[in-house]
């Protein structure tokens, strides 16, 4: 029989409802009876002891809020009776000793990847087109139309076939098995296109950060080569990108083709030259074959979005266990979303291997929160209406669950947005909580695969890295099967342990990295790219 309540850690004074509970229900919990004082939806929290006004709310073993009014044992926590509160962190208080998981079955595991000259290994083989400035977005779109149609690389959308059937007077469901194809098909390379709204018109620092991010996309092991369009007069000059590429790798050995419209004459002249040169590069990239590589070559981005009250007790800790295994074998998990680490800073500071990294983490967190407050907001306003509706009613509560994605392994490096991962082990990357800005940033820092947990559902993907969706509950997996790759609802039902589910996640990651399974986000063509813009428009 499924449990009705769960307490995450021994010191917690709240429990999570695993099923809908009705006022008056009597629940046996940890050897005592709790009488429900109000209707409580699954995923929400109830007090398991009487709480006085200003009492600390403890969950996941950390401070996640305080009581605005007295809360009786058995009553539900809401935005009306508790408010966000988190511990103040000023320094590292201790060094945490890590007990690594058993990796005997993982240490010799391999995946089939694309080996690059710098020693990195890609999970995909992409030729990437991107602009240095938004003025070139239109030309990128023209190139996208040409290459996807003629190289048969773009999946024809079902909606396009539906409209064609209607135009031709056929039944909406008619399918003669034919699709429009080009004259040549490349099976071993994918051509991808990204556009953005940056590169000019803002503060120079934003263009510098964008240059570093784009350089990271070129450096990413999933990219075989790139075509870059520049207008010429923008803030993000070609030299700025070249310097960023040199900083990230002075010996970069990848073809990077750059074209400047203001120096080339007509649009046709530039596009024709771009197409001829890029086609040669794409043909060469298509010759690269998958070969075995240690899973230590995986740089796995850890993301969450559309989180619910189950995320922190099923999907996130299961992903955290997979992250620990990967860190133990020499891989590089990447934990981001700094606004969603609010309240767990002390644990993360104590997990930093290097004292300077501990100080840098505190500095980045405080600077970020100060900038949010200067804009009239703050980390306490992070939970979305959907989060709150499904049980995440304070930022610290949301953060404490979100941080579980990073497991328990030591933190080997603290990176700011646009900086590249170079160390094996768990890396912390400063990004917003915004799903796409965060995912965009992790891939720009070298992630060759991303695992994205969700309790409510989200369509986020990425142009060059597979983004796997992990549901915290089975209801979501059954309602949105086209976007969910892995369901961790068995943890909520008590059918599987966190460790078992974590191993399933890592096994699935290896299959996707090898190309034997395609991520749902890739099947749906979800190629989201939004750089983090920190400054104002000028």
């Amino acid at each position: 029989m499924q449990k009705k309540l769960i307490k995450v850690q021994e010191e917690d004074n709240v429990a999570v409802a695993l099923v809908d509970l009705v006022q008056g229900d009597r629940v046996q919990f940890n050897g005592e009876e709790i009488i429900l004082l109000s209707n409580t939806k699954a995923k929400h929290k109830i007090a398991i002891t009487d709480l006085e006004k200003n009492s600390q709310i403890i969950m996941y073993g950390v401070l996640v809020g305080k009581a605005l009014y007295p809360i009786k044992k058995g009553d539900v926590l809401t935005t009306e009776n508790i408010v966000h509160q988190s511990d103040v962190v000023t320094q590292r208080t201790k060094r945490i000793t890590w007990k690594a998981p058993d990796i005997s079955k993982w240490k010799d595991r391999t995946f089939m990847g694309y080996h690059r000259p710098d020693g990195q290994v890609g999970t995909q083989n992409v030729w990437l087109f991107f602009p240095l400035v938004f003025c070139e977005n239109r030309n990128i779109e023209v190139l996208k139309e040409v290459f996807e149609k003629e190289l048969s690389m773009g999946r024809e959308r079902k909606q396009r076939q539906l409209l064609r059937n209607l135009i031709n007077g056929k039944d909406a469901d008619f399918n003669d098995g034919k699709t429009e194809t080009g004259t040549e098909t490349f099976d071993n390379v994918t051509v991808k296109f990204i556009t953005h709204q940056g590169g000019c018109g803002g503060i120079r620092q934003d263009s510098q950060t964008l240059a570093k991010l784009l350089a990271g996309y070129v450096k990413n092991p999933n990219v075989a080569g790139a075509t870059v369009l520049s207008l010429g007069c923008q803030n993000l000059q070609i030299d700025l990108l070249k310097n960023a590429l040199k900083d990230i790798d002075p010996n970069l050995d990848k073809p990077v083709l750059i074209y400047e419209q203001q120096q080339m004459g007509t649009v046709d002249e530039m596009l024709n030259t771009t197409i001829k040169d890029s086609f040669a590069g794409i043909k060469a990239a298509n010759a690269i074959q998958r070969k075995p590589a240690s899973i230590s070559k995986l740089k796995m981005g850890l993301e969450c979005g559309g989180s619910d009250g189950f995320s922190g007790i099923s999907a996130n800790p299961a992903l955290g266990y997979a992250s620990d295994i990967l860190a133990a074998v020499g891989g590089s998990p990447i934990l981001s979303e700094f606004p969603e680490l609010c309240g767990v800073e002390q644990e993360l500071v104590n997990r930093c291997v290097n004292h300077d990294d501990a100080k840098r983490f505190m500095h980045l967190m405080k600077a970020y929160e100060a900038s949010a407050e200067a804009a009239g907001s703050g980390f306490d306003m992070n939970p979305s209406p959907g989060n709150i509706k499904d049980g995440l009613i304070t930022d610290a509560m949301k953060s404490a669950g979100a941080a579980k994605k990073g497991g328990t392994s030591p933190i080997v490096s603290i990176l700011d947005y646009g900086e590249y991962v170079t160390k094996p082990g768990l890396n912390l990357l400063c990004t917003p909580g915004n799903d796409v800005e965060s995912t965009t940033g992790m891939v720009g820092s070298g992630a060759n695969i991303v695992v994205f947990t969700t309790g409510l559902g989200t369509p986020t993907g990425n142009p060059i890295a597979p983004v796997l969706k992990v549901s915290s509950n089975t209801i979501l997996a059954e309602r949105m099967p086209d976007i969910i790759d892995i369901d961790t609802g068995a943890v909520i039902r008590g059918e599987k342990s966190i460790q078992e589910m974590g191993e399933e996640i890592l096994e699935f990651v290896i299959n996707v990295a090898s190309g034997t399974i395609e991520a749902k986000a890739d099947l749906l063509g979800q190629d989201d790219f939004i750089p983090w813009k920190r400054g104002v428009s000028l």
Side-chain angles (χ1 to χ4, degrees), residues 302 333-338 341 348 402-403 405-406 426-429:
L302 312 171
I334 307 168
L335 181 64
S336 60
E337 300 179 288
F338 272 30
L341 300 178
L348 297 175
K405 301 191 304 293
L426 180 62
N427 289 253
L428 259 59
L429 174 67

Side-chain angles (χ1 to χ4, degrees), residues 73-233:
K73 176 181 175 180
D75 210 352
V76 63
L77 275 58
T78 71
T79 55
E80 302 298 322
N81 59 22
I82 77 166
V83 69
H84 167 83
Q85 189 176 50
S86 60
D87 286 320
V88 176
V89 180
T90 59
Q91 61 183 352
R92 185 161 61 181
T93 57
K94 62 180 179 180
R95 295 290 297 273
I96 294 178
T97 302
W98 185 50
K99 183 180 179 181
D102 179 9
I103 59 169
S104 54
K105 64 181 285 188
W106 301 99
K107 60 185 178 66
D108 297 322
R109 287 295 302 275
T110 61
F111 72 99
M112 297 296 290
Y114 296 97
H115 292 247
R116 306 302 180 190
D118 61 3
Q120 295 188 108
V121 181
T123 65
Q124 294 189 339
N125 192 36
V126 176
W127 186 277
L128 183 64
F129 287 76
F130 64 85
L132 292 186
V133 63
F134 57 83
C135 308
E136 290 297 322
N137 283 347
R138 172 59 184 163
N139 288 328
I140 292 290
E141 293 293 346
V142 171
L143 293 169
K144 179 178 181 180
E145 179 185 1
V146 169
F147 276 94
E148 285 192 345
K149 184 173 182 179
E150 296 305 320
L151 295 185
S152 304
M153 290 180 174
R155 275 192 186 83
E156 182 172 307
R157 291 191 179 277
K158 296 176 182 178
Q159 289 75 22
R160 181 179 174 189
Q161 190 177 65
L162 168 63
L163 179 59
R164 186 187 309 121
N165 290 341
L166 293 173
I167 292 172
N168 292 333
K170 299 175 182 177
D171 292 338
D173 294 331
F174 176 80
N175 184 352
D176 60 6
K178 298 178 181 179
T179 57
E180 293 182 9
T181 59
T183 57
E184 186 167 0
T185 300
F186 288 1
D187 296 326
N188 208 40
V189 66
T190 304
V191 179
K192 291 287 188 173
F193 305 81
I194 56 180
T195 57
H196 57 82
Q197 300 304 314
C200 202
I203 61 174
R204 297 298 173 90
Q205 292 92 325
D206 273 341
S207 290
Q208 292 165 358
T209 299
L210 180 57
K212 293 171 66 176
L213 180 71
L214 293 172
Y217 270 69
V218 174
K219 170 73 172 175
N220 189 291
N222 289 0
V223 171
T227 297
V228 185
L229 299 189
S230 167
L231 178 60
C233 57

Side-chain angles (χ1 to χ4, degrees), residues 488-508:
T488 64
V491 173
I492 300 298
R493 296 190 298 273
E495 298 168 0
K496 291 182 181 178
S497 68
I498 292 295
Q499 292 76 16
E500 289 171 330
M501 202 72 246
E503 291 195 348
E504 284 190 26
I505 290 173
L506 185 55
E507 195 69 54
F508 198 93

Side-chain angles (χ1 to χ4, degrees), residues 297-518:
K297 296 295 185 179
L298 292 175
K299 295 180 178 179
M300 183 170 70
L302 312 171
E303 182 68 23
C304 63
S307 299
D308 70 350
F310 284 166
S311 292
I313 59 177
S314 59
N316 290 350
L319 177 55
Y321 189 74
S323 169
D324 282 348
I325 295 173
L326 186 61
V329 300
S332 301
I334 307 168
L335 181 64
S336 60
E337 300 179 288
F338 272 30
E340 298 183 7
L341 300 178
C342 174
V344 293
E345 295 100 328
Q346 189 66 68
E347 177 201 340
L348 297 175
V349 164
N350 290 345
R351 284 168 59 186
C352 288
V353 172
N354 185 290
H355 181 67
D356 288 341
D357 278 331
K359 291 197 299 184
R360 190 181 195 209
F361 173 64
M362 288 187 288
H363 170 73
L364 287 172
M365 284 290 287
K366 291 175 181 177
Y368 193 167
E369 186 166 24
S371 67
E373 290 172 350
S377 186
F379 286 173
D380 61 308
M381 299 180 70
N382 178 263
S384 69
N387 296 147
I388 295 168
K389 181 181 178 182
D390 266 49
L392 300 177
I393 56 178
T394 74
D395 183 60
M397 186 182 291
K398 180 180 179 181
S399 296
K404 296 297 181 183
K405 301 191 304 293
T408 60
S409 64
I411 296 165
V412 299
S413 186
I414 303 294
L415 304 172
D416 202 358
Y417 201 81
E419 294 178 341
Y420 205 81
V421 170
T422 59
K423 294 182 180 180
L426 180 62
N427 289 253
L428 259 59
L429 174 67
C430 182
T431 76
N434 178 297
D435 298 347
V436 180
E437 290 176 343
S438 176
T439 302
T440 296
M442 286 191 292
V443 175
S445 290
N448 52 10
I449 196 162
V450 177
V451 184
F452 192 129
T453 65
T454 182
L456 304 175
T458 175
T460 303
N462 184 266
I464 69 168
V467 179
L468 315 183
K469 301 294 173 24
V470 180
S471 68
S472 70
N473 62 91
T474 300
I475 292 175
L476 168 62
E478 292 176 345
R479 186 174 64 246
M480 305 179 76
D482 58 330
I483 71 166
I484 298 299
D485 297 280
I486 306 166
D487 173 26
T488 64
V491 173
I492 300 298
R493 296 190 298 273
E495 298 168 0
K496 291 182 181 178
S497 68
I498 292 295
Q499 292 76 16
E500 289 171 330
M501 202 72 246
E503 291 195 348
E504 284 190 26
I505 290 173
L506 185 55
E507 195 69 54
F508 198 93
V509 165
I510 292 170
N511 280 310
V512 173
S514 299
T516 56
I517 297 177
E518 192 167 6

